[in-house]
Amino acid sequence: AATPSFTGPLTSSGLSTFSNEIALQQIKEKVTDGTISANVLTCDYATGAIFYTSATANFTLNITNLPVDNGNAMTITVVTSQGGTAGYPNVLQVGGSVQTIKWPNGNTAPSPNINKIDIFTFTLIRRSSAWTVLGSYSLNY
């Protein structure tokens, strides 16, 4: 069978499914600005998977519109510009339901520093109608 080839931008307003290996030259991802309100940053997965916000305390990350079909993994990245008091997403919700974050290194939560930029990444794995949430972080940019 011939290998399909695309030239120019490939766009889709819905889910595109590919069952074979995909070789890409470039990926450009949208960064969505987010605002922490009442100590909650709501991230709508339908608008993207990378969010940029400012923090002055720990906050809840509430991810909405995350697909719930089993056997998939999705990644959410939160880039946080720290103020005079630093914070991180210490609670994670999927559609308002609290999930346990498994942090690396013996479940060691991050310790962000003031006036820096920090990156928090969450891999959400859906199996047996339940979430496993793996949190990671890169601090002090």
Side-chain angles (χ1 to χ4, degrees), residues 3 8 14 19 23 33 37 51 54-55 58 63-64 72 75 81 114-115 130 133:
T3 301
S19 59
D33 287 334
S37 177
F51 298 86
S54 297
N58 291 346
I63 304 167
T64 60
N72 290 297
T75 301
S81 177
I114 63 171
N115 302 319
V133 179

Side-chain angles (χ1 to χ4, degrees), residues 13 15 41 49 52 56 63 75 77 114 118 129-131 134 140-141:
S13 60
L15 177 65
L41 174 63
Y52 196 101
T56 57
I63 304 167
T75 301
T77 300
I114 63 171
D118 298 318
S129 298
W131 294 105
L134 306 175
N140 301 319
Y141 288 96

Side-chain angles (χ1 to χ4, degrees), residues 21-109:
E21 180 181 89
I22 298 173
L24 302 172
Q25 180 177 335
Q26 298 166 321
I27 295 177
K28 180 173 89 172
E29 294 186 71
K30 180 181 176 187
V31 176
T32 302
D33 287 334
T35 301
I36 297 171
S37 177
N39 209 40
V40 176
L41 174 63
T42 299
C43 297
D44 183 351
Y45 190 74
T47 66
I50 302 173
F51 298 86
Y52 196 101
T53 193
S54 297
T56 57
N58 291 346
F59 58 94
T60 296
L61 175 62
N62 183 32
I63 304 167
T64 60
N65 292 315
L66 199 61
V68 295
D69 45 329
N70 290 315
N72 290 297
M74 285 129 310
T75 301
I76 299 286
T77 300
V78 178
V79 180
T80 306
S81 177
Q82 304 291 356
T85 304
Y88 72 97
N90 65 331
V91 175
L92 186 138
Q93 301 172 336
V94 175
S97 178
V98 175
Q99 307 298 314
T100 300
I101 303 170
K102 296 177 183 281
W103 295 107
N105 302 318
N107 213 22
T108 303

Side-chain angles (χ1 to χ4, degrees), residues 101-104 110 119-123 134-138:
I101 303 170
K102 296 177 183 281
W103 295 107
I119 302 169
F120 305 97
T121 302
F122 300 93
T123 300
L134 306 175
S136 62
Y137 45 88
S138 296

